[in-house]
Amino acid sequence: MTFLNVTEIESALIGLNNAYPRLTQLLPLPNPTHEGRRSHALLIRGNPSFRCRPALVFVSGVHAREWGGPDILVNLAADLLEAYTANAGLAYGAKTFSAADVRGIVNRTDVVVFPDINPDGRAYSMGGTAGSNQAMWRKNRNPASGGGSTGRAGVDVNRNYDFLWDFQTKFSPSANPGTLASADPGSDIFHGTGPFSEPEARNVQWLVDRFPKARYFVDVHSYSGDVLYPWGDDENQSTDPSKSFMNTAWDGKRGVSGDAYGEYIPAARLPEVTAAAAVLRDGINAVRNQGYVSKQGFWLWSTTYPTSGTSEDWAFTREFLNPRKGKLGGFCIEFNRNQNFFPSWAEMKDMILDVDAGLVNLCEYATPSWVQVILCWKLAWWHRIADRFLTFWRRLFPPEIWGPYGPWTRIVRRLERILERFSTRRGG
Ligand SMILES: [Zn+2]
């Protein structure tokens, strides 16, 4: 075995859908890549009649050279489906989940995996030997901004999402240019020609939008051994809501630590976000004690690591821009403590166990409790009763005979007479 190539990832998803047709749906992503590739995501949903299910959306493969991400997500889907069907639990090294945990996850949540966001980049990177310049390719393969030079092709899809995308306006000129984003097509962090200019980013947007009840979004990257939570543009602060990505008054001030600007995160929300990151981290570390750390994205490395246009920040904006859709936490896992994009397959197998244990741990954490399930059924029951009563009521008293005081024909007739009187008066 070795890393799955682009074709194998697609056939793995189709194969899982064929093997588990009642538990999965294949979701074709709408936007083909520059080289014409079309990708799929896989939805795992047992017991579709349960309607209060939260969704967890897991994506990977956005950076071409980070070879192991898609393998992690394909294995995750296969593990959950196989264990559920066998009514078995799951063991990842020292971390175990019971059969009841697996049943709860599959029956009461939507688990969505989109393993290969950037298939053009992956196909190109895997065409080179590990460590070569070609294998080190990071971006997609869109040549539009490169002026015909192949070395200047490609957009960093993880700087292309609609979160403070216009970094030259939104950030301070002294924000770390090595991590933020770049307007130079030759740069590894070239951000494209506009927010969501790239089909790969639009596919992720489409997928998340399909799940209004998405509560957790996780983008799997390598390397470092960290679990990152928002925000990525500046230090978090919970005291001043006006210091926000939505407020243009702070344009030109973001991305620097220890100054007036910090990105607002409500005081009640911060502990929820850090708790979910800790659930991911603890699930990973329980496998073989790899010492993963959870931290704010802005502090990825020892110095500040400001970023513009990343998926995890974009996902987290939804609850601020559209509170009716509920809370959606955005996270990023940087797997591989050995700081290498191309681990041996033996090392990679261990890391698949690490990260999948973290992701299953988050699924279990997100699974509604039995109390929530009963409340959901009760609510549905009351809705059904109310619907039947309303249908019956409307048949008895059709809306066309309703007067201003309710469906009383007597009042309607009186009103009609009043109107007649007015019209005869006016006529006379
Ligand atoms: Zn990456």
Side-chain angles (χ1 to χ4, degrees):
M1 269 292 282
T2 182
F3 297 89
L4 297 169
N5 67 32
V6 171
T7 313
E8 288 165 339
I9 296 165
E10 278 295 300
S11 42
L13 297 178
I14 293 164
L16 286 171
N17 179 237
N18 286 336
Y20 304 98
R22 272 195 288 274
L23 298 176
T24 60
Q25 287 174 35
L26 211 49
L27 307 174
L29 279 307
N31 303 292
T33 61
H34 171 72
E35 292 176 358
R37 291 190 174 84
R38 289 185 171 276
S39 318
H40 286 90
L42 189 74
L43 163 64
I44 301 175
R45 175 188 285 173
N47 186 22
S49 62
F50 178 56
R51 297 195 183 281
C52 300
R53 52 202 321 134
L56 300 101
V57 181
F58 301 147
V59 302
S60 67
V62 66
H63 288 143
R65 64 193 174 197
E66 299 168 9
W67 284 4
D71 302 80
I72 287 170
L73 292 193
V74 168
N75 275 278
L76 172 78
D79 291 347
L80 285 173
L81 291 165
E82 197 182 328
Y84 179 87
T85 306
N87 197 18
L90 281 168
Y92 296 101
K95 177 66 180 168
T96 56
F97 300 91
S98 70
D101 294 338
V102 173
R103 262 200 318 279
I105 290 167
V106 174
N107 285 337
R108 289 180 255 147
T109 73
D110 279 344
V111 180
V112 187
V113 297
F114 179 16
D116 194 12
I117 297 174
N118 175 15
D120 292 358
R122 185 175 182 84
Y124 180 74
S125 171
M126 291 185 102
T129 47
S132 66
N133 276 345
Q134 183 174 340
M136 282 296 285
W137 190 259
R138 168 181 165 102
K139 301 184 282 181
N140 72 6
R141 296 293 294 163
N142 177 3
S145 300
S149 154
T150 49
R152 294 171 64 76
V155 173
D156 183 353
V157 177
N158 206 31
R159 296 292 182 279
N160 190 240
Y161 293 85
D162 190 7
F163 173 74
L164 300 173
W165 174 87
D166 181 9
F167 70 97
Q168 287 155 311
T169 304
K170 298 293 178 186
F171 285 78
S172 158
S174 45
N176 183 355
T179 66
L180 184 58
S182 173
D184 170 14
S187 163
D188 250 357
I189 50 174
F190 174 52
H191 70 162
T193 53
F196 286 119
S197 62
E198 302 310 296
E200 294 86 354
R202 288 201 302 278
N203 280 339
V204 174
Q205 179 190 35
W206 177 88
L207 188 64
V208 173
D209 284 350
R210 262 190 72 123
F211 293 91
K213 291 206 183 85
R215 294 292 165 260
Y216 300 97
F217 170 89
V218 184
D219 196 346
V220 178
H221 289 249
S222 66
Y223 50 72
S224 73
D226 290 302
V227 176
L228 305 178
Y229 56 84
W231 296 99
D233 65 313
D234 208 302
E235 291 159 295
N236 286 342
Q237 56 87 15
S238 301
T239 49
D240 186 351
S242 75
K243 290 172 184 167
S244 150
F245 68 94
M246 294 178 280
N247 187 354
T248 53
W250 288 97
D251 285 1
K253 304 282 199 298
R254 300 181 180 90
V256 181
S257 70
D259 63 352
Y261 189 82
E263 190 64 37
Y264 179 68
I265 180 166
R269 187 65 174 123
L270 180 60
E272 294 173 349
V273 168
T274 55
V279 167
L280 284 165
R281 177 201 66 202
D282 294 347
I284 293 171
N285 288 339
V287 176
R288 52 184 183 127
N289 231 334
Q290 280 286 289
Y292 276 57
V293 173
S294 64
K295 56 170 89 151
Q296 191 198 332
F298 185 66
W299 295 108
L300 172 57
W301 294 101
S302 47
T303 62
T304 60
Y305 196 99
T307 49
S308 142
T310 68
S311 64
E312 108 214 37
D313 281 335
W314 164 75
F316 193 45
T317 61
R318 186 170 86 174
E319 65 189 60
F320 298 89
L321 298 172
N322 192 353
R324 277 180 306 125
K325 284 193 174 169
K327 295 169 180 174
L328 171 59
F331 302 89
C332 169
I333 295 176
E334 296 276 359
F335 69 87
N336 198 349
R337 299 277 292 153
N338 299 329
Q339 309 204 346
N340 174 359
F341 293 122
F342 317 104
S344 72
W345 183 248
E347 290 173 303
M348 190 62 226
K349 280 200 291 190
D350 286 339
M351 289 186 264
I352 291 174
L353 300 182
D354 292 339
V355 180
D356 282 348
L359 294 171
V360 176
N361 213 31
L362 186 66
C363 293
E364 192 205 349
Y365 182 70
T367 303
S369 68
W370 280 113
V371 175
Q372 289 168 301
V373 171
I374 289 163
L375 281 176
C376 176
W377 285 121
K378 276 254 182 269
L379 219 60
W381 185 79
W382 277 113
H383 278 302
R384 264 203 306 280
I385 296 286
D387 272 353
R388 281 204 194 136
F389 177 75
L390 270 177
T391 311
F392 166 77
W393 184 262
R394 290 206 180 102
R395 197 171 299 150
L396 211 59
F397 306 108
E400 56 268 25
I401 64 163
W402 285 31
Y405 308 106
W408 299 104
T409 48
R410 194 167 52 84
I411 291 174
V412 173
R413 287 206 188 105
R414 226 184 88 214
L415 269 178
E416 279 165 1
R417 272 208 300 280
I418 291 167
L419 287 172
E420 278 167 22
R421 217 161 55 213
F422 283 147
S423 66
T424 46
R425 266 189 199 167
R426 232 181 276 130

